[in-house]
Every structure is written in structure tokens, then in C-alpha cells.
Amino acid sequence: QVQLVESGGGLVQAGGSLRLSCAASGRAASNYAMGWFRQAPGKDREFVAVINWSGTNTYYADSVKGRFTISRDNTKNSMYLQMNSLKSGDTAVYYCAADSLYGTTWYRHAGDGIDYWGEGTLVTVSS
């Protein structure tokens, strides 16, 4: 079992930056693919980014590509999302997630098959 705790959400001006963190615990946590989803008010949950267990492969939603960067530090069992050039459309609750599989399910099924989830952290982008 893997436990996930997000942090780093808050209020930021449009065009600004924010870094989210996700701390993982549990047996073999570093062997899981990890990623981020988000859900805005009145919207369905959507995929943001994923990174494989070794950190050698990443994949991003088109809406954040070039602006967001996902990374991980397996010595700390932590995963990060650096968000730059934030837009009002980025306002959402951001959820850390983990799964044994690194594959298309992450970005084609809104995370329905993902095994582990954090409680979420709110990001609000204002203008």
C-alpha cells in the first residue's frame, strides 16, 4: 500500500509560478509511476502529467506542455510539479497519484484505473 500527501497549493497571480510536492510512503513506493491529475469546479477530472518509476520517462497533457515540469526524487520518495506561466484555466484541486503501471491509462481515462490518490491541494490562479 502507498500513502500520498500533497502540499504547495495556494493563490498565485496569472503568469506566476508554483511548485507542488507529493510525499509517498509505504513499501516499494519508489517503484511506482507517479503523476498529477486536477479537477476544476464543475469539470471532470483531467490528467496533467506522469513520470515513470525511474524518472526516465514523462508525459504531459497538451494543455500544460511547455509550462509544467514533473520530476521525482526517489531518495526522498517525493514527486514534484513545477508550474510556470500559470493561467486562470489552471485553477483546480490538484491530486497526486501513483500506480504500478506507466501507460496510456494515465491520460486516456481520467485516472479511473489509478490505484493510489492523495487528498488534493487547491491551486487558485487570479488576475
Side-chain angles (χ1 to χ4, degrees):
Q1 192 173 40
V2 176
Q3 296 80 44
L4 305 171
V5 180
E6 307 98 329
S7 62
L11 177 65
V12 64
Q13 293 274 339
S17 298
L18 206 61
R19 189 175 89 145
L20 305 183
S21 298
C22 177
S25 61
R27 183 168 291 176
S30 63
N31 290 334
Y32 285 78
M34 298 181 69
W36 296 91
F37 292 83
R38 67 186 184 185
Q39 188 167 25
K43 299 282 190 176
D44 292 332
R45 184 175 61 201
E46 65 175 344
F47 167 77
V48 176
V50 64
I51 187 167
N52 73 333
W53 68 270
S54 65
T56 57
N57 295 103
T58 60
Y59 189 81
Y60 298 89
D62 288 341
S63 59
V64 306
K65 196 171 298 181
R67 300 188 298 121
F68 291 10
T69 302
I70 190 170
S71 61
R72 68 191 299 166
D73 183 350
N74 287 342
T75 67
K76 299 180 179 180
N77 285 334
S78 296
M79 187 262 296
Y80 311 96
L81 185 69
Q82 178 65 47
M83 305 184 293
N84 298 327
S85 301
L86 283 162
K87 307 173 181 178
S88 60
D90 296 318
T91 295
V93 176
Y94 283 71
Y95 296 93
C96 176
D99 198 276
S100 61
L101 176 67
Y102 176 83
T104 59
T105 300
W106 281 86
Y107 55 88
R108 290 186 177 179
H109 300 284
D112 287 346
I114 302 301
D115 288 336
Y116 303 104
W117 295 89
E119 293 293 326
T121 186
L122 178 63
V123 172
T124 302
V125 183
S126 67
S127 59

PDB file of all heavy atoms in Angstrom, residues 42-57:
ATOM      1  N   GLY A  42     -17.023  22.133 -11.278  1.00  0.00           N
ATOM      2  CA  GLY A  42     -17.950  21.846 -12.352  1.00  0.00           C
ATOM      3  C   GLY A  42     -17.361  21.086 -13.524  1.00  0.00           C
ATOM      4  O   GLY A  42     -18.053  20.885 -14.529  1.00  0.00           O
ATOM      5  N   LYS A  43     -16.122  20.661 -13.420  1.00  0.00           N
ATOM      6  CA  LYS A  43     -15.449  19.956 -14.508  1.00  0.00           C
ATOM      7  C   LYS A  43     -15.086  18.534 -14.096  1.00  0.00           C
ATOM      8  O   LYS A  43     -14.989  18.216 -12.914  1.00  0.00           O
ATOM      9  CB  LYS A  43     -14.176  20.693 -14.905  1.00  0.00           C
ATOM     10  CG  LYS A  43     -14.375  22.104 -15.422  1.00  0.00           C
ATOM     11  CD  LYS A  43     -14.855  22.101 -16.854  1.00  0.00           C
ATOM     12  CE  LYS A  43     -14.809  23.502 -17.447  1.00  0.00           C
ATOM     13  NZ  LYS A  43     -15.192  23.497 -18.878  1.00  0.00           N
ATOM     14  N   ASP A  44     -14.881  17.686 -15.094  1.00  0.00           N
ATOM     15  CA  ASP A  44     -14.390  16.344 -14.838  1.00  0.00           C
ATOM     16  C   ASP A  44     -12.910  16.377 -14.488  1.00  0.00           C
ATOM     17  O   ASP A  44     -12.189  17.302 -14.853  1.00  0.00           O
ATOM     18  CB  ASP A  44     -14.593  15.453 -16.056  1.00  0.00           C
ATOM     19  CG  ASP A  44     -16.035  15.160 -16.361  1.00  0.00           C
ATOM     20  OD1 ASP A  44     -16.857  15.165 -15.415  1.00  0.00           O
ATOM     21  OD2 ASP A  44     -16.358  14.913 -17.532  1.00  0.00           O
ATOM     22  N   ARG A  45     -12.473  15.345 -13.800  1.00  0.00           N
ATOM     23  CA  ARG A  45     -11.062  15.214 -13.503  1.00  0.00           C
ATOM     24  C   ARG A  45     -10.277  15.027 -14.798  1.00  0.00           C
ATOM     25  O   ARG A  45     -10.744  14.355 -15.721  1.00  0.00           O
ATOM     26  CB  ARG A  45     -10.849  14.017 -12.577  1.00  0.00           C
ATOM     27  CG  ARG A  45      -9.418  13.828 -12.105  1.00  0.00           C
ATOM     28  CD  ARG A  45      -9.337  12.691 -11.092  1.00  0.00           C
ATOM     29  NE  ARG A  45      -9.759  11.439 -11.676  1.00  0.00           N
ATOM     30  CZ  ARG A  45     -10.184  10.384 -10.981  1.00  0.00           C
ATOM     31  NH1 ARG A  45     -10.261  10.460  -9.659  1.00  0.00           N
ATOM     32  NH2 ARG A  45     -10.536   9.271 -11.607  1.00  0.00           N
ATOM     33  N   GLU A  46      -9.108  15.629 -14.889  1.00  0.00           N
ATOM     34  CA  GLU A  46      -8.290  15.507 -16.078  1.00  0.00           C
ATOM     35  C   GLU A  46      -6.834  15.223 -15.729  1.00  0.00           C
ATOM     36  O   GLU A  46      -6.327  15.628 -14.684  1.00  0.00           O
ATOM     37  CB  GLU A  46      -8.387  16.765 -16.950  1.00  0.00           C
ATOM     38  CG  GLU A  46      -7.823  18.022 -16.318  1.00  0.00           C
ATOM     39  CD  GLU A  46      -7.825  19.201 -17.274  1.00  0.00           C
ATOM     40  OE1 GLU A  46      -7.968  18.999 -18.498  1.00  0.00           O
ATOM     41  OE2 GLU A  46      -7.676  20.342 -16.789  1.00  0.00           O
ATOM     42  N   PHE A  47      -6.190  14.554 -16.644  1.00  0.00           N
ATOM     43  CA  PHE A  47      -4.785  14.220 -16.497  1.00  0.00           C
ATOM     44  C   PHE A  47      -3.917  15.451 -16.679  1.00  0.00           C
ATOM     45  O   PHE A  47      -4.209  16.317 -17.505  1.00  0.00           O
ATOM     46  CB  PHE A  47      -4.407  13.162 -17.533  1.00  0.00           C
ATOM     47  CG  PHE A  47      -2.937  12.952 -17.694  1.00  0.00           C
ATOM     48  CD1 PHE A  47      -2.216  12.228 -16.760  1.00  0.00           C
ATOM     49  CD2 PHE A  47      -2.269  13.476 -18.782  1.00  0.00           C
ATOM     50  CE1 PHE A  47      -0.858  12.026 -16.905  1.00  0.00           C
ATOM     51  CE2 PHE A  47      -0.917  13.291 -18.943  1.00  0.00           C
ATOM     52  CZ  PHE A  47      -0.208  12.562 -17.994  1.00  0.00           C
ATOM     53  N   VAL A  48      -2.813  15.512 -15.920  1.00  0.00           N
ATOM     54  CA  VAL A  48      -1.865  16.613 -16.032  1.00  0.00           C
ATOM     55  C   VAL A  48      -0.494  16.125 -16.491  1.00  0.00           C
ATOM     56  O   VAL A  48       0.030  16.572 -17.513  1.00  0.00           O
ATOM     57  CB  VAL A  48      -1.726  17.380 -14.702  1.00  0.00           C
ATOM     58  CG1 VAL A  48      -0.660  18.469 -14.821  1.00  0.00           C
ATOM     59  CG2 VAL A  48      -3.063  17.978 -14.292  1.00  0.00           C
ATOM     60  N   ALA A  49       0.103  15.197 -15.735  1.00  0.00           N
ATOM     61  CA  ALA A  49       1.450  14.730 -16.055  1.00  0.00           C
ATOM     62  C   ALA A  49       1.732  13.430 -15.323  1.00  0.00           C
ATOM     63  O   ALA A  49       1.137  13.151 -14.289  1.00  0.00           O
ATOM     64  CB  ALA A  49       2.498  15.778 -15.673  1.00  0.00           C
ATOM     65  N   VAL A  50       2.671  12.643 -15.848  1.00  0.00           N
ATOM     66  CA  VAL A  50       3.076  11.391 -15.215  1.00  0.00           C
ATOM     67  C   VAL A  50       4.570  11.180 -15.426  1.00  0.00           C
ATOM     68  O   VAL A  50       5.140  11.643 -16.424  1.00  0.00           O
ATOM     69  CB  VAL A  50       2.261  10.193 -15.771  1.00  0.00           C
ATOM     70  CG1 VAL A  50       2.536   9.983 -17.264  1.00  0.00           C
ATOM     71  CG2 VAL A  50       2.535   8.932 -14.973  1.00  0.00           C
ATOM     72  N   ILE A  51       5.196  10.483 -14.487  1.00  0.00           N
ATOM     73  CA  ILE A  51       6.607  10.144 -14.574  1.00  0.00           C
ATOM     74  C   ILE A  51       6.767   8.691 -14.156  1.00  0.00           C
ATOM     75  O   ILE A  51       6.116   8.234 -13.218  1.00  0.00           O
ATOM     76  CB  ILE A  51       7.459  11.102 -13.701  1.00  0.00           C
ATOM     77  CG1 ILE A  51       8.952  10.867 -13.917  1.00  0.00           C
ATOM     78  CG2 ILE A  51       7.087  10.975 -12.231  1.00  0.00           C
ATOM     79  CD1 ILE A  51       9.818  11.992 -13.322  1.00  0.00           C
ATOM     80  N   ASN A  52       7.621   7.941 -14.869  1.00  0.00           N
ATOM     81  CA  ASN A  52       7.785   6.540 -14.528  1.00  0.00           C
ATOM     82  C   ASN A  52       8.639   6.378 -13.269  1.00  0.00           C
ATOM     83  O   ASN A  52       9.169   7.346 -12.729  1.00  0.00           O
ATOM     84  CB  ASN A  52       8.360   5.757 -15.712  1.00  0.00           C
ATOM     85  CG  ASN A  52       9.836   6.033 -15.960  1.00  0.00           C
ATOM     86  OD1 ASN A  52      10.347   7.097 -15.628  1.00  0.00           O
ATOM     87  ND2 ASN A  52      10.521   5.067 -16.551  1.00  0.00           N
ATOM     88  N   TRP A  53       8.770   5.141 -12.814  1.00  0.00           N
ATOM     89  CA  TRP A  53       9.393   4.894 -11.510  1.00  0.00           C
ATOM     90  C   TRP A  53      10.839   5.347 -11.430  1.00  0.00           C
ATOM     91  O   TRP A  53      11.304   5.764 -10.359  1.00  0.00           O
ATOM     92  CB  TRP A  53       9.286   3.411 -11.143  1.00  0.00           C
ATOM     93  CG  TRP A  53      10.118   2.502 -12.010  1.00  0.00           C
ATOM     94  CD1 TRP A  53       9.746   1.887 -13.169  1.00  0.00           C
ATOM     95  CD2 TRP A  53      11.469   2.101 -11.761  1.00  0.00           C
ATOM     96  NE1 TRP A  53      10.781   1.138 -13.666  1.00  0.00           N
ATOM     97  CE2 TRP A  53      11.850   1.248 -12.820  1.00  0.00           C
ATOM     98  CE3 TRP A  53      12.400   2.382 -10.752  1.00  0.00           C
ATOM     99  CZ2 TRP A  53      13.118   0.673 -12.902  1.00  0.00           C
ATOM    100  CZ3 TRP A  53      13.663   1.815 -10.836  1.00  0.00           C
ATOM    101  CH2 TRP A  53      14.004   0.969 -11.899  1.00  0.00           C
ATOM    102  N   SER A  54      11.574   5.273 -12.538  1.00  0.00           N
ATOM    103  CA  SER A  54      12.979   5.652 -12.536  1.00  0.00           C
ATOM    104  C   SER A  54      13.200   7.126 -12.866  1.00  0.00           C
ATOM    105  O   SER A  54      14.316   7.625 -12.728  1.00  0.00           O
ATOM    106  CB  SER A  54      13.756   4.794 -13.524  1.00  0.00           C
ATOM    107  OG  SER A  54      13.334   5.035 -14.853  1.00  0.00           O
ATOM    108  N   GLY A  55      12.159   7.816 -13.327  1.00  0.00           N
ATOM    109  CA  GLY A  55      12.285   9.212 -13.705  1.00  0.00           C
ATOM    110  C   GLY A  55      12.822   9.436 -15.101  1.00  0.00           C
ATOM    111  O   GLY A  55      13.130  10.576 -15.461  1.00  0.00           O
ATOM    112  N   THR A  56      12.920   8.377 -15.915  1.00  0.00           N
ATOM    113  CA  THR A  56      13.489   8.490 -17.251  1.00  0.00           C
ATOM    114  C   THR A  56      12.460   8.807 -18.325  1.00  0.00           C
ATOM    115  O   THR A  56      12.835   9.132 -19.454  1.00  0.00           O
ATOM    116  CB  THR A  56      14.229   7.203 -17.634  1.00  0.00           C
ATOM    117  OG1 THR A  56      13.334   6.088 -17.549  1.00  0.00           O
ATOM    118  CG2 THR A  56      15.407   6.966 -16.698  1.00  0.00           C
ATOM    119  N   ASN A  57      11.180   8.692 -18.010  1.00  0.00           N
ATOM    120  CA  ASN A  57      10.128   8.958 -18.983  1.00  0.00           C
ATOM    121  C   ASN A  57       9.046   9.820 -18.359  1.00  0.00           C
ATOM    122  O   ASN A  57       8.642   9.588 -17.216  1.00  0.00           O
ATOM    123  CB  ASN A  57       9.498   7.661 -19.495  1.00  0.00           C
ATOM    124  CG  ASN A  57      10.472   6.811 -20.278  1.00  0.00           C
ATOM    125  OD1 ASN A  57      10.981   5.819 -19.766  1.00  0.00           O
ATOM    126  ND2 ASN A  57      10.730   7.201 -21.526  1.00  0.00           N
TER     127      ASN A  57
END
